[in-house]
Amino acid sequence: MIIPIGTDNPLRNKPMVNYVLIVLNFAIFLYTYQPHTIRTPQGQEHSFSLRQEAQSFKLYPKPLFEPIPQQPRLYQYITYAFLHAGWMHIIGNMLFLYIFGNNVNDKLGNLGYLLLYLGGGVFSGLGHAMFNNMPVLGASGAVAAVTGAYMVLFPKTNIHVLYVIFFIGSLHVPALYFIMFKLIIFDNVLEPRISGGGGIAYGAHLAGYIFGVGIPLMMLALHWLPHSHYDLWALIDRWRRRRGYQKLTRNGYDAFGSGVGSGRNARKRVDAKVTDIPEISPQQKKIINLRAEISQTVNTSNLTEAAEKYLQLMEIDRQQVLPQQQQLDIANKLMQTEKYEAAATAYESFLAHYRNGYPFIEQIELMLGLIYSRYLNQKE
């Protein structure tokens, strides 16, 4: 068993809509949950988890037995997502909604988040109805939409995962890998083939993920959402640029010369011989090792550990500056983890060394102003 128990992504505002949705789901569950059995005149028994008057609020793609609506009612595409079949069902859904929904609510705002949640529920209901004629209930599709949106908006944050295999333990996994490979591919593509998929609406889950990934990506592409250096759209754009650069270099492009591998400005072979190597002090060795470790941890998306090593580096030499993107990544991570003094120092260092080469320098200045005025009480 592998379940998420938290993230390292701090909140800026209270996610009020997400809290209301969680409370509302629990309240409806407590009112509607009433396991019982009904015997038909033919002697067949049918088990139900809901009160009789709540049965018509499930989503019925096709009629199976009476008394059931003869066709899906439009309201059922909303109401089914607020019903649950048992305690494990609702606790699991609300746990995921709490962990992933808080930050998505914070990013999209209350109205945007509510529309995403309800739209995800409707779209996942349509996805279920296209391939299945069994009645369905539960917030899983809407929660899948919220989880997919989290992967798009915060792919490089770490998910705290609890695992119970032969023993109990925990680890940190980047959100992109955990959601894409564990929640989407393994849980909803591979597991149905292994277990047979009985009793679980995998189609609704996948439709919810498609909706939750597609809508935020579209909003980022159309600039309806403010861009971040860490959202999925930015990662895709950087990957596309790297691929383009690799293609150019494979075709003979010389980034240091005239654009090709020969000519007046092309690189030339230089023969050099290293003779006297100066002694390196223990402090310099420690600085070199820390910089190498920071670079390695940033490249593996472990920004939490990289930020800690950066703080160690600052204790040794406060004049040290990392490469541009690493310095910015570390400063942003320190801000996220509420280490405001260290974040301000990192941003100041970034401004001092990269002011002329960074196109969005006003964003750094604004962030620095917010830190000083709001968190460090230095409004001047």
Side-chain angles (χ1 to χ4, degrees), residues 84-98:
H84 290 84
W87 282 103
M88 292 302 296
H89 192 196
I90 189 170
I91 290 174
N93 279 339
M94 294 305 102
L95 173 65
F96 274 68
L97 189 61
Y98 177 79

Side-chain angles (χ1 to χ4, degrees), residues 83-269:
L83 303 174
H84 290 84
W87 282 103
M88 292 302 296
H89 192 196
I90 189 170
I91 290 174
N93 279 339
M94 294 305 102
L95 173 65
F96 274 68
L97 189 61
Y98 177 79
I99 290 173
F100 297 111
N102 286 343
N103 289 111
V104 178
N105 187 172
D106 190 14
K107 180 74 172 181
L108 298 183
N110 289 329
L111 179 59
Y113 179 71
L114 180 62
L115 293 176
L116 176 79
Y117 182 88
L118 296 178
V122 172
F123 195 83
S124 62
L126 291 171
H128 175 80
M130 287 178 62
F131 304 104
N132 202 308
N133 64 354
M134 295 295 292
V136 66
L137 76 166
S140 302
V143 174
V146 171
T147 306
Y150 187 97
M151 182 182 71
V152 172
L153 299 173
F154 312 104
K156 299 190 75 174
T157 59
N158 287 318
I159 308 299
H160 307 322
V161 176
L162 176 70
Y163 59 87
V164 182
I165 306 176
F166 297 106
F167 49 86
I168 299 175
S170 64
L171 70 160
H172 293 175
V173 183
L176 177 62
Y177 302 137
F178 180 75
I179 295 173
M180 174 64 73
F181 295 108
K182 169 60 172 70
L183 300 185
I184 299 178
I185 294 178
F186 181 80
D187 287 355
N188 290 283
V189 177
L190 299 180
E191 186 175 311
R193 299 175 182 273
I194 298 172
S195 64
I200 299 177
Y202 293 105
H205 296 175
L206 290 174
Y209 282 118
I210 291 171
F211 183 88
V213 170
I215 294 300
L217 272 180
M218 181 188 71
M219 295 175 70
L220 289 170
L222 297 176
H223 301 281
W224 294 351
L225 269 179
H227 276 284
S228 163
H229 292 289
Y230 306 104
D231 61 46
L232 188 59
W233 185 262
L235 297 185
I236 294 172
D237 185 56
R238 289 200 289 272
W239 173 82
R240 179 184 60 80
R241 292 181 184 182
R242 286 196 298 270
R243 289 293 299 269
Y245 181 77
Q246 290 168 359
K247 183 178 179 180
L248 285 173
T249 55
R250 282 197 300 268
N251 293 334
Y253 174 77
D254 184 0
F256 299 93
S258 61
V260 294
S262 62
R264 186 179 55 154
N265 295 324
R267 287 180 290 175
K268 297 179 181 180
R269 178 186 178 92

